[in-house]
Amino acid sequence: MGVSEAFRFEILGQDKTARAGVITTPRGQIRTPAFMPVGTAATVKAMHPEAVKALGADIVLSNTYHLMLRPGPERIAALGGLHKFMNWPWPILTDSGGFQVMSLSKLRKLDENGVTFHSHIDGALYRLTPERAMEIQDLLDSEIKMQLDECVRLPCSESEVRRAMKLSLAWAERSKKALVAKKGSALFAIVQGGADEVLRVESAKALANIGFDGYALGGLAVGEPRPITRVMIECVLPFLPSDKPRYLMGTGTPDDLLESVRRGIDMFDCVLPTRAGRHGLAYTRAGRLNLRNARHADNPAPVDPLASCAAARTYSRSYLHHLVKSGEILGMMLLSEINLSYYQDFMADMRRAISGERFDDFCSETKAAWQIGESSSKVEA
Amino acid sequence: MGVSEAFRFEILGQDKTARAGVITTPRGQIRTPAFMPVGTAATVKAMHPEAVKALGADIVLSNTYHLMLRPGPERIAALGGLHKFMNWPWPILTDSGGFQVMSLSKLRKLDENGVTFHSHIDGALYRLTPERAMEIQDLLDSEIKMQLDECVRLPCSESEVRRAMKLSLAWAERSKKALVAKKGSALFAIVQGGADEVLRVESAKALANIGFDGYALGGLAVGEPRPITRVMIECVLPFLPSDKPRYLMGTGTPDDLLESVRRGIDMFDCVLPTRAGRHGLAYTRAGRLNLRNARHADNPAPVDPLASCAAARTYSRSYLHHLVKSGEILGMMLLSEINLSYYQDFMADMRRAISGERFDDFCSETKAAWQIGESSSKVEA
């Protein structure tokens, strides 16, 4: 039972628990497993939007919290919506702001109706409720909207995790009610429950019972040990409707993506490829390269001569090293491109491997290739 | 009498003292009057090199001083030269480093054979002589090389300006000797003499007598009043060979370019379009726009709907304002593009106006258009 009508998810291939499919939205299709580049403040940092699309992204994520503070959702709506504003005519998912309120804002005050906080930019006072979060996302006009949730920092007491999970659940129901009048817009619920299997399952079951267009796992990738994330995925997914997209929020490294897709996750977002790029790191088929490292200073080789990304084939490691050391913006631009391209190609490879029912082999081959890169970098570093 | 054989300058059109022409180099032609975007550290800041070319640049400038310090000219040579290093296969002019030694380095010590200084990056000790400046530029493999000169800060005593001019003159002669063995490489001399007409003319005459492939006016655009630059151009140009390119270093605003082309200057370089772009300023046919200004926050209009630059036509002023206020790299990228495109289109328009012998009319029309923009911005600001 979905909230909207114009939103559709089809599973096209399956290999054990891994699945490949396509989400249809009024603004285009999203091939899954999908990686969504993060455009926090209505821009994927250091990237032209048409380049983000050309590298293979079907959808980007943007943030309710950031856009609420600056430039303001009413302003964006008056200017014709977020797609027009940021020159991205394809699908957009908007996060609800729950996570950012926890991680960025000052002097937060939570009650059962919402959260009041001070902007991290200028200290101004804001109020976010489940209804206001839906209203903002409606003003932004995103294809996929996220319910407002309360995200606790881990580790955290069981009672506190339970309270936050219950509150998020109540807010999920209110979010769905707030959206009812709107057509062609998908609403995703967020499973909470910290690192507690019982609470996670309780959250998943209750949300599935209400019925949403998709289900996200929230409150993970916030610093907890990696095995916990994987255990949480494994315990929760059986209780979510298999015909709806499953989205692991804020993840992750290529290895995180591989292990999560293997377990049945369909969607991801993460700042890692662009943030790492701005700090001199390149993700490649042969593992991660730190271009800041002096061993690249005289290396005329490109990052990857076989990459689909022109920047990875064209520019030498020596030049990228020079740009990174000099703090040049072009270095951030090129490495963001290289990383986003790697991530999108990696998702496409996973989709093909699932459809070809050879995902396990693909995982082994991919991890072996990463090891080669990592061990060679250990030797040379 | 030129130094090289593969370097050629032809004047194709003339309108009073303004001239339009073309410089031929082994790596391509340069249409004059030419504006050279500045790629200080082997990158035009926040720009893909292919975009710099696509916007109309025939040549970029890079800096001996910066590249000597990092990554080092011997390294660049071992990697195949500067063109390959920075992925710019078209002509490059390298500045000699004289100006940067004055403006950036610490604990400078000058003698008649050269200058010893500490790097502004790590304090390391360097020595630059006329011969070493030529050697570095030879390692970089630029098409147009600049002599090492001594650049004094204005205002400055007549005797000090005279001494520096005489020293620059001696270094010009030594630079030419140092380059003699090299073919296909052009050497430009630099006229010095501060704001003193007599010294400037003496410098110009002496350099013309030695014979170079081109002549630059140095030590201007360093903070002196604008009328002084124009007077210096007017007094010096009659004493420089009319069949060689004339290059006003480090200039300037669109108005500076117009007034200098009118007087007979053929080449320019300046950080202004890219630096201003990184600080939220856009240059347009209707004058300068400060996108940081709150009056743009709700304006859906593009920077210029008739610009040849896609970024100037596509993105709204409201979005650019948002990017600038948020410190987003995309704002720097788009405004650098918009400004470089405006500068290159402006140079092309000047070339056409000169060839059509309607440069005076073009100047009046252009200045009137700028006034419209400026007065409208005064009203709204």
Side-chain angles (χ1 to χ4, degrees), chain A residues 41-42 45 48-49 70 75 85 87 298 314-315 319 322 328 337, chain B residues 41-42 45 48-49 75 85 87 298 314-315 319 322 328 337:
Chain A
K45 289 187 193 298
H48 288 106
R70 189 172 57 192
R75 171 170 284 146
F85 186 63
N87 224 349
D298 295 297
T314 310
Y315 294 88
Y319 184 59
H322 166 67
E328 285 288 348
E337 280 170 56
Chain B
K45 287 186 195 303
H48 288 108
R75 170 169 285 144
F85 186 63
N87 226 344
D298 294 297
T314 309
Y315 294 88
Y319 184 60
H322 167 68
E328 285 289 346
E337 282 169 56

PDB file of all heavy atoms in Angstrom, chain A residues 41-42 45 48-49 70 75 85 87 298 314-315 319 322 328 337, chain B residues 41-42 45 48-49 75 85 87 298 314-315 319 322 328 337:
ATOM      1  N   ALA A  41      23.360  21.658   0.057  1.00  0.00           N
ATOM      2  CA  ALA A  41      22.830  23.012  -0.032  1.00  0.00           C
ATOM      3  C   ALA A  41      22.400  23.306  -1.465  1.00  0.00           C
ATOM      4  O   ALA A  41      22.702  24.356  -2.022  1.00  0.00           O
ATOM      5  CB  ALA A  41      23.884  24.003   0.444  1.00  0.00           C
ATOM      6  N   ALA A  42      21.707  22.344  -2.084  1.00  0.00           N
ATOM      7  CA  ALA A  42      21.218  22.490  -3.465  1.00  0.00           C
ATOM      8  C   ALA A  42      22.367  22.535  -4.471  1.00  0.00           C
ATOM      9  O   ALA A  42      22.251  23.157  -5.522  1.00  0.00           O
ATOM     10  CB  ALA A  42      20.304  23.710  -3.607  1.00  0.00           C
ATOM     11  N   LYS A  45      28.695  19.302  -4.199  1.00  0.00           N
ATOM     12  CA  LYS A  45      29.822  20.206  -4.056  1.00  0.00           C
ATOM     13  C   LYS A  45      30.881  20.022  -5.155  1.00  0.00           C
ATOM     14  O   LYS A  45      31.286  18.902  -5.457  1.00  0.00           O
ATOM     15  CB  LYS A  45      30.475  20.048  -2.680  1.00  0.00           C
ATOM     16  CG  LYS A  45      29.591  20.599  -1.563  1.00  0.00           C
ATOM     17  CD  LYS A  45      30.313  20.584  -0.216  1.00  0.00           C
ATOM     18  CE  LYS A  45      29.340  20.818   0.934  1.00  0.00           C
ATOM     19  NZ  LYS A  45      28.665  22.129   0.898  1.00  0.00           N
ATOM     20  N   HIS A  48      29.376  20.465 -11.586  1.00  0.00           N
ATOM     21  CA  HIS A  48      28.287  20.960 -12.415  1.00  0.00           C
ATOM     22  C   HIS A  48      27.157  19.916 -12.384  1.00  0.00           C
ATOM     23  O   HIS A  48      27.443  18.722 -12.517  1.00  0.00           O
ATOM     24  CB  HIS A  48      28.744  21.118 -13.863  1.00  0.00           C
ATOM     25  CG  HIS A  48      29.672  22.265 -14.089  1.00  0.00           C
ATOM     26  ND1 HIS A  48      31.014  22.091 -14.317  1.00  0.00           N
ATOM     27  CD2 HIS A  48      29.453  23.604 -14.130  1.00  0.00           C
ATOM     28  CE1 HIS A  48      31.576  23.283 -14.496  1.00  0.00           C
ATOM     29  NE2 HIS A  48      30.665  24.209 -14.385  1.00  0.00           N
ATOM     30  N   PRO A  49      25.902  20.339 -12.265  1.00  0.00           N
ATOM     31  CA  PRO A  49      24.823  19.333 -12.205  1.00  0.00           C
ATOM     32  C   PRO A  49      24.784  18.424 -13.433  1.00  0.00           C
ATOM     33  O   PRO A  49      24.543  17.213 -13.295  1.00  0.00           O
ATOM     34  CB  PRO A  49      23.555  20.183 -12.060  1.00  0.00           C
ATOM     35  CG  PRO A  49      23.942  21.591 -12.358  1.00  0.00           C
ATOM     36  CD  PRO A  49      25.401  21.713 -12.088  1.00  0.00           C
ATOM     37  N   ARG A  70      18.673  28.167   4.709  1.00  0.00           N
ATOM     38  CA  ARG A  70      19.216  29.017   3.635  1.00  0.00           C
ATOM     39  C   ARG A  70      19.088  28.283   2.326  1.00  0.00           C
ATOM     40  O   ARG A  70      19.650  27.193   2.235  1.00  0.00           O
ATOM     41  CB  ARG A  70      20.687  29.357   3.940  1.00  0.00           C
ATOM     42  CG  ARG A  70      21.283  30.381   3.020  1.00  0.00           C
ATOM     43  CD  ARG A  70      22.664  30.836   3.463  1.00  0.00           C
ATOM     44  NE  ARG A  70      23.629  29.743   3.608  1.00  0.00           N
ATOM     45  CZ  ARG A  70      24.820  29.852   4.190  1.00  0.00           C
ATOM     46  NH1 ARG A  70      25.190  30.999   4.729  1.00  0.00           N
ATOM     47  NH2 ARG A  70      25.625  28.823   4.265  1.00  0.00           N
ATOM     48  N   ARG A  75      11.072  30.582  -0.448  1.00  0.00           N
ATOM     49  CA  ARG A  75      11.792  31.262  -1.536  1.00  0.00           C
ATOM     50  C   ARG A  75      12.004  30.311  -2.710  1.00  0.00           C
ATOM     51  O   ARG A  75      11.778  30.675  -3.874  1.00  0.00           O
ATOM     52  CB  ARG A  75      13.129  31.774  -1.013  1.00  0.00           C
ATOM     53  CG  ARG A  75      14.046  32.295  -2.103  1.00  0.00           C
ATOM     54  CD  ARG A  75      15.250  33.003  -1.519  1.00  0.00           C
ATOM     55  NE  ARG A  75      14.860  34.318  -1.032  1.00  0.00           N
ATOM     56  CZ  ARG A  75      15.390  34.907   0.038  1.00  0.00           C
ATOM     57  NH1 ARG A  75      16.310  34.285   0.746  1.00  0.00           N
ATOM     58  NH2 ARG A  75      14.994  36.111   0.386  1.00  0.00           N
ATOM     59  N   PHE A  85      15.661  25.539  -9.394  1.00  0.00           N
ATOM     60  CA  PHE A  85      16.621  26.349  -8.646  1.00  0.00           C
ATOM     61  C   PHE A  85      18.040  25.836  -8.862  1.00  0.00           C
ATOM     62  O   PHE A  85      18.960  26.597  -9.151  1.00  0.00           O
ATOM     63  CB  PHE A  85      16.255  26.308  -7.163  1.00  0.00           C
ATOM     64  CG  PHE A  85      17.067  27.205  -6.270  1.00  0.00           C
ATOM     65  CD1 PHE A  85      17.038  28.583  -6.438  1.00  0.00           C
ATOM     66  CD2 PHE A  85      17.841  26.679  -5.242  1.00  0.00           C
ATOM     67  CE1 PHE A  85      17.776  29.422  -5.607  1.00  0.00           C
ATOM     68  CE2 PHE A  85      18.576  27.507  -4.407  1.00  0.00           C
ATOM     69  CZ  PHE A  85      18.547  28.879  -4.591  1.00  0.00           C
ATOM     70  N   ASN A  87      18.975  23.582 -11.126  1.00  0.00           N
ATOM     71  CA  ASN A  87      19.257  23.155 -12.497  1.00  0.00           C
ATOM     72  C   ASN A  87      19.448  21.635 -12.586  1.00  0.00           C
ATOM     73  O   ASN A  87      20.343  21.145 -13.276  1.00  0.00           O
ATOM     74  CB  ASN A  87      20.511  23.874 -12.991  1.00  0.00           C
ATOM     75  CG  ASN A  87      20.346  24.392 -14.395  1.00  0.00           C
ATOM     76  OD1 ASN A  87      19.389  24.049 -15.084  1.00  0.00           O
ATOM     77  ND2 ASN A  87      21.286  25.187 -14.827  1.00  0.00           N
ATOM     78  N   ASP A 298      55.872  12.296  -8.742  1.00  0.00           N
ATOM     79  CA  ASP A 298      56.541  12.137 -10.037  1.00  0.00           C
ATOM     80  C   ASP A 298      55.879  11.083 -10.913  1.00  0.00           C
ATOM     81  O   ASP A 298      56.456  10.659 -11.907  1.00  0.00           O
ATOM     82  CB  ASP A 298      58.006  11.758  -9.798  1.00  0.00           C
ATOM     83  CG  ASP A 298      58.765  12.878  -9.119  1.00  0.00           C
ATOM     84  OD1 ASP A 298      58.868  13.953  -9.733  1.00  0.00           O
ATOM     85  OD2 ASP A 298      59.216  12.693  -7.974  1.00  0.00           O
ATOM     86  N   THR A 314      42.768  11.029 -17.901  1.00  0.00           N
ATOM     87  CA  THR A 314      43.481  12.113 -18.576  1.00  0.00           C
ATOM     88  C   THR A 314      44.579  12.742 -17.726  1.00  0.00           C
ATOM     89  O   THR A 314      45.670  13.012 -18.211  1.00  0.00           O
ATOM     90  CB  THR A 314      42.471  13.207 -18.984  1.00  0.00           C
ATOM     91  OG1 THR A 314      41.388  12.598 -19.678  1.00  0.00           O
ATOM     92  CG2 THR A 314      43.126  14.255 -19.842  1.00  0.00           C
ATOM     93  N   TYR A 315      44.253  13.017 -16.468  1.00  0.00           N
ATOM     94  CA  TYR A 315      45.197  13.760 -15.628  1.00  0.00           C
ATOM     95  C   TYR A 315      46.143  12.801 -14.917  1.00  0.00           C
ATOM     96  O   TYR A 315      45.737  11.736 -14.457  1.00  0.00           O
ATOM     97  CB  TYR A 315      44.434  14.599 -14.601  1.00  0.00           C
ATOM     98  CG  TYR A 315      43.626  15.694 -15.249  1.00  0.00           C
ATOM     99  CD1 TYR A 315      42.323  15.464 -15.676  1.00  0.00           C
ATOM    100  CD2 TYR A 315      44.187  16.948 -15.487  1.00  0.00           C
ATOM    101  CE1 TYR A 315      41.587  16.464 -16.305  1.00  0.00           C
ATOM    102  CE2 TYR A 315      43.457  17.950 -16.106  1.00  0.00           C
ATOM    103  CZ  TYR A 315      42.158  17.701 -16.517  1.00  0.00           C
ATOM    104  OH  TYR A 315      41.429  18.687 -17.134  1.00  0.00           O
ATOM    105  N   TYR A 319      50.058  15.464 -11.410  1.00  0.00           N
ATOM    106  CA  TYR A 319      49.327  16.728 -11.495  1.00  0.00           C
ATOM    107  C   TYR A 319      48.277  16.819 -10.387  1.00  0.00           C
ATOM    108  O   TYR A 319      48.154  17.853  -9.719  1.00  0.00           O
ATOM    109  CB  TYR A 319      48.670  16.861 -12.866  1.00  0.00           C
ATOM    110  CG  TYR A 319      47.965  18.182 -13.092  1.00  0.00           C
ATOM    111  CD1 TYR A 319      48.662  19.387 -13.010  1.00  0.00           C
ATOM    112  CD2 TYR A 319      46.609  18.235 -13.396  1.00  0.00           C
ATOM    113  CE1 TYR A 319      48.021  20.605 -13.222  1.00  0.00           C
ATOM    114  CE2 TYR A 319      45.956  19.444 -13.612  1.00  0.00           C
ATOM    115  CZ  TYR A 319      46.667  20.627 -13.523  1.00  0.00           C
ATOM    116  OH  TYR A 319      46.023  21.830 -13.730  1.00  0.00           O
ATOM    117  N   HIS A 322      49.940  17.622  -7.222  1.00  0.00           N
ATOM    118  CA  HIS A 322      50.282  19.049  -7.200  1.00  0.00           C
ATOM    119  C   HIS A 322      49.057  19.905  -6.852  1.00  0.00           C
ATOM    120  O   HIS A 322      49.134  20.813  -6.008  1.00  0.00           O
ATOM    121  CB  HIS A 322      50.852  19.456  -8.563  1.00  0.00           C
ATOM    122  CG  HIS A 322      50.939  20.933  -8.779  1.00  0.00           C
ATOM    123  ND1 HIS A 322      51.799  21.737  -8.062  1.00  0.00           N
ATOM    124  CD2 HIS A 322      50.242  21.769  -9.599  1.00  0.00           C
ATOM    125  CE1 HIS A 322      51.637  22.999  -8.445  1.00  0.00           C
ATOM    126  NE2 HIS A 322      50.698  23.039  -9.366  1.00  0.00           N
ATOM    127  N   GLU A 328      44.315  23.658  -4.727  1.00  0.00           N
ATOM    128  CA  GLU A 328      43.620  24.204  -5.892  1.00  0.00           C
ATOM    129  C   GLU A 328      42.223  23.593  -6.050  1.00  0.00           C
ATOM    130  O   GLU A 328      42.046  22.379  -5.917  1.00  0.00           O
ATOM    131  CB  GLU A 328      44.444  23.946  -7.164  1.00  0.00           C
ATOM    132  CG  GLU A 328      45.659  24.851  -7.291  1.00  0.00           C
ATOM    133  CD  GLU A 328      45.287  26.299  -7.639  1.00  0.00           C
ATOM    134  OE1 GLU A 328      44.122  26.566  -8.006  1.00  0.00           O
ATOM    135  OE2 GLU A 328      46.198  27.155  -7.535  1.00  0.00           O
ATOM    136  N   GLU A 337      34.725  14.336  -9.354  1.00  0.00           N
ATOM    137  CA  GLU A 337      34.274  13.673 -10.589  1.00  0.00           C
ATOM    138  C   GLU A 337      34.711  12.214 -10.617  1.00  0.00           C
ATOM    139  O   GLU A 337      33.926  11.312 -10.914  1.00  0.00           O
ATOM    140  CB  GLU A 337      34.907  14.348 -11.813  1.00  0.00           C
ATOM    141  CG  GLU A 337      34.265  15.623 -12.268  1.00  0.00           C
ATOM    142  CD  GLU A 337      35.134  16.318 -13.313  1.00  0.00           C
ATOM    143  OE1 GLU A 337      35.468  15.710 -14.350  1.00  0.00           O
ATOM    144  OE2 GLU A 337      35.481  17.475 -13.069  1.00  0.00           O
TER     145      GLU A 337
ATOM    146  N   ALA B  41      49.324  28.488 -10.749  1.00  0.00           N
ATOM    147  CA  ALA B  41      49.970  27.252 -10.299  1.00  0.00           C
ATOM    148  C   ALA B  41      49.621  26.108 -11.249  1.00  0.00           C
ATOM    149  O   ALA B  41      49.302  25.005 -10.840  1.00  0.00           O
ATOM    150  CB  ALA B  41      49.523  26.922  -8.879  1.00  0.00           C
ATOM    151  N   ALA B  42      49.686  26.394 -12.569  1.00  0.00           N
ATOM    152  CA  ALA B  42      49.396  25.387 -13.592  1.00  0.00           C
ATOM    153  C   ALA B  42      47.927  24.982 -13.600  1.00  0.00           C
ATOM    154  O   ALA B  42      47.583  23.868 -13.972  1.00  0.00           O
ATOM    155  CB  ALA B  42      50.307  24.158 -13.459  1.00  0.00           C
ATOM    156  N   LYS B  45      42.223  28.876 -11.965  1.00  0.00           N
ATOM    157  CA  LYS B  45      41.507  28.457 -10.746  1.00  0.00           C
ATOM    158  C   LYS B  45      40.024  28.166 -10.996  1.00  0.00           C
ATOM    159  O   LYS B  45      39.314  28.952 -11.618  1.00  0.00           O
ATOM    160  CB  LYS B  45      41.662  29.516  -9.652  1.00  0.00           C
ATOM    161  CG  LYS B  45      43.071  29.529  -9.063  1.00  0.00           C
ATOM    162  CD  LYS B  45      43.191  30.477  -7.869  1.00  0.00           C
ATOM    163  CE  LYS B  45      44.649  30.769  -7.528  1.00  0.00           C
ATOM    164  NZ  LYS B  45      45.468  29.599  -7.233  1.00  0.00           N
ATOM    165  N   HIS B  48      37.975  23.831 -15.558  1.00  0.00           N
ATOM    166  CA  HIS B  48      38.541  22.756 -16.367  1.00  0.00           C
ATOM    167  C   HIS B  48      39.290  23.395 -17.544  1.00  0.00           C
ATOM    168  O   HIS B  48      38.762  24.334 -18.163  1.00  0.00           O
ATOM    169  CB  HIS B  48      37.417  21.887 -16.942  1.00  0.00           C
ATOM    170  CG  HIS B  48      36.744  21.014 -15.927  1.00  0.00           C
ATOM    171  ND1 HIS B  48      35.473  21.254 -15.471  1.00  0.00           N
ATOM    172  CD2 HIS B  48      37.158  19.885 -15.298  1.00  0.00           C
ATOM    173  CE1 HIS B  48      35.138  20.307 -14.599  1.00  0.00           C
ATOM    174  NE2 HIS B  48      36.144  19.472 -14.462  1.00  0.00           N
ATOM    175  N   PRO B  49      40.477  22.890 -17.889  1.00  0.00           N
ATOM    176  CA  PRO B  49      41.217  23.524 -18.982  1.00  0.00           C
ATOM    177  C   PRO B  49      40.440  23.536 -20.306  1.00  0.00           C
ATOM    178  O   PRO B  49      40.473  24.530 -21.035  1.00  0.00           O
ATOM    179  CB  PRO B  49      42.506  22.707 -19.079  1.00  0.00           C
ATOM    180  CG  PRO B  49      42.292  21.481 -18.250  1.00  0.00           C
ATOM    181  CD  PRO B  49      41.241  21.807 -17.259  1.00  0.00           C
ATOM    182  N   ARG B  75      60.901  18.812 -12.368  1.00  0.00           N
ATOM    183  CA  ARG B  75      59.858  17.780 -12.277  1.00  0.00           C
ATOM    184  C   ARG B  75      58.885  17.900 -13.463  1.00  0.00           C
ATOM    185  O   ARG B  75      58.533  16.900 -14.090  1.00  0.00           O
ATOM    186  CB  ARG B  75      59.105  17.926 -10.958  1.00  0.00           C
ATOM    187  CG  ARG B  75      57.845  17.066 -10.873  1.00  0.00           C
ATOM    188  CD  ARG B  75      57.287  17.045  -9.470  1.00  0.00           C
ATOM    189  NE  ARG B  75      58.083  16.205  -8.597  1.00  0.00           N
ATOM    190  CZ  ARG B  75      58.331  16.439  -7.317  1.00  0.00           C
ATOM    191  NH1 ARG B  75      57.873  17.537  -6.760  1.00  0.00           N
ATOM    192  NH2 ARG B  75      59.052  15.602  -6.613  1.00  0.00           N
ATOM    193  N   PHE B  85      51.460  18.519 -18.470  1.00  0.00           N
ATOM    194  CA  PHE B  85      51.196  18.492 -17.025  1.00  0.00           C
ATOM    195  C   PHE B  85      49.809  19.044 -16.706  1.00  0.00           C
ATOM    196  O   PHE B  85      49.026  18.431 -15.980  1.00  0.00           O
ATOM    197  CB  PHE B  85      52.282  19.298 -16.309  1.00  0.00           C
ATOM    198  CG  PHE B  85      52.234  19.250 -14.806  1.00  0.00           C
ATOM    199  CD1 PHE B  85      52.417  18.054 -14.123  1.00  0.00           C
ATOM    200  CD2 PHE B  85      52.038  20.407 -14.060  1.00  0.00           C
ATOM    201  CE1 PHE B  85      52.396  18.010 -12.728  1.00  0.00           C
ATOM    202  CE2 PHE B  85      52.017  20.376 -12.671  1.00  0.00           C
ATOM    203  CZ  PHE B  85      52.192  19.172 -12.008  1.00  0.00           C
ATOM    204  N   ASN B  87      47.428  19.691 -18.943  1.00  0.00           N
ATOM    205  CA  ASN B  87      46.397  19.294 -19.899  1.00  0.00           C
ATOM    206  C   ASN B  87      45.903  20.483 -20.721  1.00  0.00           C
ATOM    207  O   ASN B  87      44.703  20.617 -20.982  1.00  0.00           O
ATOM    208  CB  ASN B  87      45.220  18.664 -19.147  1.00  0.00           C
ATOM    209  CG  ASN B  87      44.762  17.388 -19.802  1.00  0.00           C
ATOM    210  OD1 ASN B  87      45.098  17.108 -20.957  1.00  0.00           O
ATOM    211  ND2 ASN B  87      43.982  16.611 -19.094  1.00  0.00           N
ATOM    212  N   ASP B 298      15.945  36.911  -4.586  1.00  0.00           N
ATOM    213  CA  ASP B 298      14.676  36.417  -5.135  1.00  0.00           C
ATOM    214  C   ASP B 298      14.567  36.616  -6.641  1.00  0.00           C
ATOM    215  O   ASP B 298      13.486  36.483  -7.204  1.00  0.00           O
ATOM    216  CB  ASP B 298      13.510  37.127  -4.432  1.00  0.00           C
ATOM    217  CG  ASP B 298      13.438  36.757  -2.960  1.00  0.00           C
ATOM    218  OD1 ASP B 298      13.223  35.565  -2.677  1.00  0.00           O
ATOM    219  OD2 ASP B 298      13.643  37.637  -2.104  1.00  0.00           O
ATOM    220  N   THR B 314      21.797  30.175 -17.933  1.00  0.00           N
ATOM    221  CA  THR B 314      21.056  29.054 -17.349  1.00  0.00           C
ATOM    222  C   THR B 314      20.705  29.259 -15.877  1.00  0.00           C
ATOM    223  O   THR B 314      19.595  28.962 -15.454  1.00  0.00           O
ATOM    224  CB  THR B 314      21.903  27.772 -17.476  1.00  0.00           C
ATOM    225  OG1 THR B 314      22.318  27.652 -18.837  1.00  0.00           O
ATOM    226  CG2 THR B 314      21.099  26.556 -17.069  1.00  0.00           C
ATOM    227  N   TYR B 315      21.669  29.690 -15.091  1.00  0.00           N
ATOM    228  CA  TYR B 315      21.465  29.771 -13.647  1.00  0.00           C
ATOM    229  C   TYR B 315      20.873  31.125 -13.274  1.00  0.00           C
ATOM    230  O   TYR B 315      21.279  32.152 -13.811  1.00  0.00           O
ATOM    231  CB  TYR B 315      22.795  29.556 -12.917  1.00  0.00           C
ATOM    232  CG  TYR B 315      23.333  28.156 -13.117  1.00  0.00           C
ATOM    233  CD1 TYR B 315      24.148  27.853 -14.191  1.00  0.00           C
ATOM    234  CD2 TYR B 315      22.977  27.135 -12.243  1.00  0.00           C
ATOM    235  CE1 TYR B 315      24.621  26.559 -14.402  1.00  0.00           C
ATOM    236  CE2 TYR B 315      23.442  25.848 -12.437  1.00  0.00           C
ATOM    237  CZ  TYR B 315      24.261  25.565 -13.517  1.00  0.00           C
ATOM    238  OH  TYR B 315      24.708  24.294 -13.705  1.00  0.00           O
ATOM    239  N   TYR B 319      19.967  31.759  -7.480  1.00  0.00           N
ATOM    240  CA  TYR B 319      20.768  30.565  -7.184  1.00  0.00           C
ATOM    241  C   TYR B 319      22.239  30.934  -6.999  1.00  0.00           C
ATOM    242  O   TYR B 319      22.891  30.469  -6.047  1.00  0.00           O
ATOM    243  CB  TYR B 319      20.607  29.548  -8.314  1.00  0.00           C
ATOM    244  CG  TYR B 319      21.316  28.228  -8.062  1.00  0.00           C
ATOM    245  CD1 TYR B 319      21.001  27.443  -6.964  1.00  0.00           C
ATOM    246  CD2 TYR B 319      22.307  27.767  -8.926  1.00  0.00           C
ATOM    247  CE1 TYR B 319      21.633  26.238  -6.725  1.00  0.00           C
ATOM    248  CE2 TYR B 319      22.949  26.554  -8.705  1.00  0.00           C
ATOM    249  CZ  TYR B 319      22.611  25.793  -7.602  1.00  0.00           C
ATOM    250  OH  TYR B 319      23.246  24.603  -7.362  1.00  0.00           O
ATOM    251  N   HIS B 322      22.653  32.434  -3.676  1.00  0.00           N
ATOM    252  CA  HIS B 322      22.644  31.365  -2.660  1.00  0.00           C
ATOM    253  C   HIS B 322      24.005  30.664  -2.589  1.00  0.00           C
ATOM    254  O   HIS B 322      24.549  30.434  -1.499  1.00  0.00           O
ATOM    255  CB  HIS B 322      21.538  30.367  -2.983  1.00  0.00           C
ATOM    256  CG  HIS B 322      21.625  29.089  -2.214  1.00  0.00           C
ATOM    257  ND1 HIS B 322      21.421  29.020  -0.850  1.00  0.00           N
ATOM    258  CD2 HIS B 322      21.929  27.821  -2.608  1.00  0.00           C
ATOM    259  CE1 HIS B 322      21.581  27.778  -0.444  1.00  0.00           C
ATOM    260  NE2 HIS B 322      21.890  27.022  -1.488  1.00  0.00           N
ATOM    261  N   GLU B 328      29.756  28.002  -1.590  1.00  0.00           N
ATOM    262  CA  GLU B 328      29.814  26.776  -2.382  1.00  0.00           C
ATOM    263  C   GLU B 328      30.780  26.913  -3.563  1.00  0.00           C
ATOM    264  O   GLU B 328      30.775  27.921  -4.269  1.00  0.00           O
ATOM    265  CB  GLU B 328      28.410  26.418  -2.891  1.00  0.00           C
ATOM    266  CG  GLU B 328      27.504  25.847  -1.817  1.00  0.00           C
ATOM    267  CD  GLU B 328      27.904  24.427  -1.390  1.00  0.00           C
ATOM    268  OE1 GLU B 328      28.713  23.781  -2.088  1.00  0.00           O
ATOM    269  OE2 GLU B 328      27.391  23.972  -0.347  1.00  0.00           O
ATOM    270  N   GLU B 337      33.562  30.965 -14.895  1.00  0.00           N
ATOM    271  CA  GLU B 337      33.167  30.711 -16.285  1.00  0.00           C
ATOM    272  C   GLU B 337      32.513  31.933 -16.911  1.00  0.00           C
ATOM    273  O   GLU B 337      32.837  32.328 -18.032  1.00  0.00           O
ATOM    274  CB  GLU B 337      32.125  29.577 -16.337  1.00  0.00           C
ATOM    275  CG  GLU B 337      32.652  28.183 -16.189  1.00  0.00           C
ATOM    276  CD  GLU B 337      31.516  27.169 -15.983  1.00  0.00           C
ATOM    277  OE1 GLU B 337      30.602  27.104 -16.820  1.00  0.00           O
ATOM    278  OE2 GLU B 337      31.562  26.471 -14.969  1.00  0.00           O
TER     279      GLU B 337
END
